[in-house]
Amino acid sequence: MRLWNLCMLAQLAALALAHLNKTRLAKNLDYLKEGLDTHLPPVNSTVYKWNSGWIPEDCKRHVEKRNLSAANFEIFDIYYDDCSIPWTVCKQNNSQQSLYDLVQNFGRVPAKARSWVRHVIDFSDPRSHVNSAATDNGTIMLFNHVDKGVTVYIHETGHALDGAAYSQKDLHLSKLWSDSYNNDSMVPDGYAGTNFNEDVAQVTVVATYNLNVPGGFQSVEPNWRNIYHQQTTLETEQRLAGNLLIRGGRCMQRVPASKPVPTMGGLSTTSLHNTTVTRKTKGNGRAVSNSRLVDDLKYVAS
């Protein structure tokens, strides 16, 4: 029996990485952006910039893995009103994405789903022409000129949920997902057709739309029944985990942030944070200037 289970898991793993041959419902999911932007408004937030000399350990690992210098990254703590614990973002100095856009779009991700994200790293290496995003152990990485709108953040958060949040850990490797896929005639779009891993993440975007936008997915997609089993499985899993993809509420059990470490060898001689509030956004998404000072903000690890 154990040997049979191992063989079955190996077959599922191979299928999860294999290109999917089903018809695509759409070329991409760009047609969901407007509804998501409208019905997932950014959450009010306050941002603190770290002093130079410090970086989260997980950020440093990914940065140095790509032969980049941790000293060329700015580090920010984002406090959203729906969570008392910040998300720490690592942003390469020459990144094309503004800090404002990053804070806004990441803040559109429902709080309970956002809780499963460890860090966000925004890379921009002018020597590279790779435009992509990836998630590793809860850390979202954005590269170069990749479209960094809300669908990308939901997709990458979907990878984090897939790996840790659901009753079926690594949902894309499960028989549950394989069966759901086999019971449908299509996948959401071309990227979902890459493999089961990307299929789960793209269905997460579809499910988030369906659960938050009035009229749901069927209001914009007449052929929605062709991915019904994949969508229903994803929505059931997120419901069992606490309605992760539904807007509202507060963050839940957070994925722990990695500890602060010096950007270079040895110990940094600076304190972790400066004291200036660099950005605050109102509930309507409008940025407002805020230069007030706060005293001795203490680093809080989730």
Side-chain angles (χ1 to χ4, degrees), residues 57-69:
E57 186 174 43
D58 200 45
C59 289
K60 186 175 183 180
R61 176 174 64 87
H62 285 293
V63 167
E64 293 184 344
K65 181 179 178 180
R66 290 162 177 81
N67 297 317
L68 299 172
S69 172

Side-chain angles (χ1 to χ4, degrees), residues 50 56 58 77-79 83-89 106 111 114-120 137-139 251-260 272-273 298-302:
W50 289 21
D58 200 45
D77 274 347
I78 307 172
Y79 283 85
C83 195
S84 61
I85 301 171
W87 279 266
T88 302
V89 168
F106 186 47
R114 203 183 328 123
S115 298
W116 292 89
V117 174
R118 190 182 311 277
H119 298 295
V120 177
N137 195 29
T139 292
C251 64
M252 51 194 301
Q253 182 177 354
R254 288 283 303 276
V255 174
S258 59
K259 67 181 180 182
L272 191 62
H273 285 91
K298 183 180 180 181
Y299 178 78
V300 181
S302 56

Side-chain angles (χ1 to χ4, degrees), residues 223-238:
N223 297 314
W224 61 273
R225 290 181 181 85
N226 292 324
I227 64 165
Y228 171 81
H229 295 91
Q230 296 163 83
Q231 180 183 333
T232 299
T233 294
L234 197 293
E235 290 184 6
T236 299
E237 286 296 305
Q238 71 82 36

